[in-house]
Amino acid sequence: MPPFRIPLSEVDLGPQEQEAVLRTLRSGWLSMGQETESFEKEFSQYLGCGHSLAVANGTAALHLALLAVGAGPGDAVLQPVVNFVSAANVTIAVGAEPVFVDVLAADEPTIAPADLERKLDALDRAGGPKPKAVVVMHYGGHACRMADIQAICGPRGLPIVEDACHGVGGTSAPTGRKMGNVGEIGCFSFFSNKNMITGEGGMVTTSNDELAQRVRHLRSHGMTTLTWDRHRGHAASYDVVVNGFNYRIDELRSAIGREQLKKLDANNARRRAHVQRYWKLLAGLKATGWALPFSEAGDRLGLPSAHLMPVVAPDEQVRARCAEAFRQAGIQTSLHYPFIPGFTAFAGKCRAEGLAVGRAFCRRVITLPLYPQLTESDQDDVCRCLLSAAAG
Ligand SMILES: *Cc1c(COP(=O)(O)O)cnc(C)c1O
């Protein structure tokens, strides 16, 4: 581990998680059992959705979601250009083509409904790959413009896949529904730097029975019955109805997830308070060409889960200078995210026209330390460092 005095993120694991792991270990049942069943049930209750299907990680969740909505060769999956690479990678994995959509603005880096509509119309006219699904991503835990996006996707019969990996526990205006329970299908990651963690782990959520059944089959080799059912004497044999995967979570991780879910609301509230304080301490930057994403949104977008604290420098040079100052001060920062169409593996495999806002954002963003236990004095240090480096 690099010697950062102030890390980018920090886990919140305590005696409850330790006890949950030991309880599960002592039970001798390590996969497809009661912990996972309970984790899924509790997650569905929390989200207000019909089905939750626990999986190995967030990328597996996205892969299953795209397969469940039927995305494959000849299809286009529209998605925001400012995102982690998972959705784009699994789009290619299912044989479809990623069509990148620009984001709204430096201070609202979520998918731009107007550009989405423009690109859907262009695909219809061009007769190229057929739009099959729209992925949205609630950047930093701030909701996308879901009502506008639904108004575009609904009449076209296009399912919305929510990459809600940043958004666990947050809500989306105007309905107040939890992120991941607004579109047709939601995807979560419980990787070690997210708002709730299981190490590796993820969840697919939906209220559509048919999509849930497809994900359930695809998650577990395409088999019709599971080890747990056979163990309980419910079934003697099984059929394989689709060529699936093993994307299951295990009992130890589900047990940790159940404890993390209990802490989620309190931890998200602490994250929100830190973000508010960052916005206050850094407000002066706005006069010098910086953007503080979502700081002007109020509750217009919903209640954020406050996963990330991004700031957007006026240009690449200022970003580089500030990133170096942070490094020297022992403060870990990051960059959410590099421009996906610029990655080697996407050359010639995606549509990446008209992405000026997202391209500039990816060159200018810096992500500051944010986690529930962040102290005010550490936060003061981060802000002092940034303000002095920004002033040059
Ligand atoms: C973390 C993350 C993923 C991938 O989740 P893994 O569990 O690491 O596979 C996908 N999308 C976004 C937005 C993420 O933050």
Side-chain angles (χ1 to χ4, degrees):
M1 290 296 267
F4 289 112
R5 198 167 53 77
I6 306 175
L8 184 69
S9 72
E10 209 164 79
V11 302
D12 174 17
L13 296 170
Q16 296 89 342
E17 287 84 356
Q18 292 169 14
E19 188 40 52
V21 169
L22 284 174
R23 172 186 78 223
T24 309
L25 204 52
R26 290 192 192 106
S27 80
W29 191 272
L30 298 188
S31 194
M32 301 306 290
Q34 280 168 324
E35 292 292 338
T36 301
E37 274 192 10
S38 299
F39 184 29
E40 292 175 339
K41 196 186 293 167
E42 288 156 12
F43 201 83
S44 288
Q45 272 161 7
Y46 179 77
L47 222 66
C49 65
H51 307 272
S52 293
L53 297 130
V55 293
N57 55 64
T59 306
L62 285 160
H63 191 187
L64 294 176
L66 290 190
L67 290 169
V69 300
D75 294 332
V77 176
L78 291 95
Q79 51 198 287
V81 71
V82 176
N83 195 358
F84 185 56
V85 72
S86 275
N89 270 342
V90 299
T91 301
I92 295 198
V94 303
E97 188 176 341
V99 174
F100 290 106
V101 178
D102 211 355
V103 295
L104 278 161
D107 73 352
E108 193 174 346
T110 53
I111 191 165
D115 194 46
L116 172 63
E117 189 161 36
R118 191 156 47 236
K119 282 173 181 163
L120 285 168
D121 288 344
L123 284 170
D124 288 345
R125 278 197 309 272
K130 212 171 125 1
K132 191 69 175 193
V134 173
V135 175
V136 302
M137 199 278 275
H138 305 295
Y139 184 98
H142 303 265
C144 300
R145 304 280 185 108
M146 293 306 289
D148 296 341
I149 296 161
Q150 285 173 315
I152 295 165
C153 294
R156 293 174 153 92
L158 276 177
I160 299 172
V161 176
E162 290 179 81
D163 181 338
C165 292
H166 294 184
V168 65
T171 68
S172 166
T175 57
R177 291 167 77 105
K178 291 235 162 67
M179 291 181 237
N181 186 31
V182 186
E184 274 59 44
I185 192 157
C187 300
F188 294 88
S189 166
F190 308 129
F191 181 65
S192 317
N193 62 8
K194 312 284 163 145
N195 288 30
M196 63 173 273
I197 68 173
T198 61
E200 301 284 353
M203 195 74 83
V204 181
T205 56
T206 183
S207 293
N208 178 313
D209 298 344
E210 222 170 284
L211 291 176
Q213 188 58 263
R214 263 181 238 150
V215 169
R216 190 173 285 114
H217 283 151
L218 285 164
R219 165 179 76 167
S220 200
H221 309 291
M223 287 160 61
T224 48
T225 67
L226 306 170
T227 313
W228 180 240
D229 295 316
R230 287 197 303 283
H231 178 72
R232 287 184 293 194
H234 290 176
S237 186
Y238 58 84
D239 189 17
V240 171
V241 292
V242 60
N243 302 117
F245 307 91
N246 178 355
Y247 274 171
R248 298 183 306 248
I249 199 168
D250 63 62
E251 292 287 280
L252 297 164
R253 288 178 176 80
S254 292
I256 297 171
R258 296 178 66 194
E259 295 305 322
Q260 287 275 301
L261 186 57
K262 293 179 197 161
K263 296 178 173 178
L264 180 65
D265 282 343
N267 276 340
N268 281 356
R270 291 161 82 194
R271 287 171 173 275
R272 277 191 294 274
H274 296 326
V275 166
Q276 292 287 347
R277 190 162 182 274
Y278 264 128
W279 285 341
K280 207 169 80 200
L281 295 172
L282 298 175
L285 286 175
K286 288 188 204 170
T288 58
W290 287 72
L292 303 179
F294 306 105
S295 61
E296 313 277 341
D299 51 14
R300 188 161 43 81
L301 301 173
L303 186 71
S305 59
H307 174 57
L308 296 177
M309 176 59 211
V311 293
V312 187
D315 61 49
E316 235 171 326
Q317 287 72 31
V318 178
R319 175 174 83 172
R321 186 169 77 224
C322 294
E324 178 56 22
F326 281 127
R327 205 185 58 77
Q328 302 237 343
I331 297 167
Q332 185 181 22
T333 62
S334 187
L335 191 176
H336 293 83
Y337 291 96
F339 187 66
I340 299 172
F343 288 137
T344 306
F346 287 88
K349 288 191 201 161
C350 61
R351 285 176 197 232
E353 290 102 36
L355 301 170
V357 182
R359 191 189 292 268
F361 181 87
C362 295
R363 288 195 183 125
R364 292 166 52 199
V365 66
I366 309 176
T367 314
L368 306 184
L370 179 64
Y371 43 90
Q373 318 89 302
L374 181 66
T375 63
E376 290 200 348
S377 94
D378 281 352
Q379 198 179 18
D380 290 342
D381 278 2
V382 173
C383 294
R384 252 194 306 274
C385 182
L386 179 58
L387 291 170
S388 112

